[in-house]
């Protein structure tokens, strides 16, 4: 999987490639900000699939970051 994320309102996406395990921790996010995200699966046959864009507002700091868990379609 590739995780794409950005603070809401930003133009450019940040990408974290080669996520192969769950849970996976994204660290150093800012409490109170809203983040947008989506996952991209890259299959061995070359096809690519994206999830819909979601958003989350961080209400409080999580020790060690926020856990992101890819969902199985």
């Amino acid at each position: 999987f590739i995780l794409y994320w950005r603070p809401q309102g930003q133009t450019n996406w940040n990408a974290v490639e080669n996520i192969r395990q769950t849970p996976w921790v994204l660290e150093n996010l800012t409490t109170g900000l809203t983040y947008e995200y989506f996952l991209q699966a890259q299959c061995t046959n070359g096809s690519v699939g994206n999830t819909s864009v979601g958003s989350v507002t961080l209400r409080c700091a999580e020790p060690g970051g926020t856990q992101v868990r890819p969902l199985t379609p």
Side-chain angles (χ1 to χ4, degrees):
F1 290 98
I2 299 174
L3 169 67
Y4 291 92
W5 66 276
R6 66 184 179 190
Q8 191 173 49
Q10 295 291 316
T11 304
N12 297 323
W13 291 94
N14 300 293
V16 180
E17 298 183 9
N18 298 317
I19 296 175
R20 300 187 188 281
Q21 65 185 17
T22 58
W24 187 84
V25 178
L26 181 60
E27 297 181 326
N28 300 318
L29 300 177
T30 302
T31 301
L33 285 183
T34 298
Y35 291 90
E36 298 175 315
Y37 62 89
F38 70 94
L39 291 172
Q40 182 179 81
Q42 295 181 318
C43 302
T44 56
N45 66 4
S47 65
V48 174
N50 293 334
T51 64
S52 298
V53 174
S55 66
V56 62
T57 301
L58 300 181
R59 302 283 183 216
C60 61
E62 291 288 332
T66 300
Q67 292 186 354
V68 178
R69 299 175 189 238
L71 302 176
T72 303

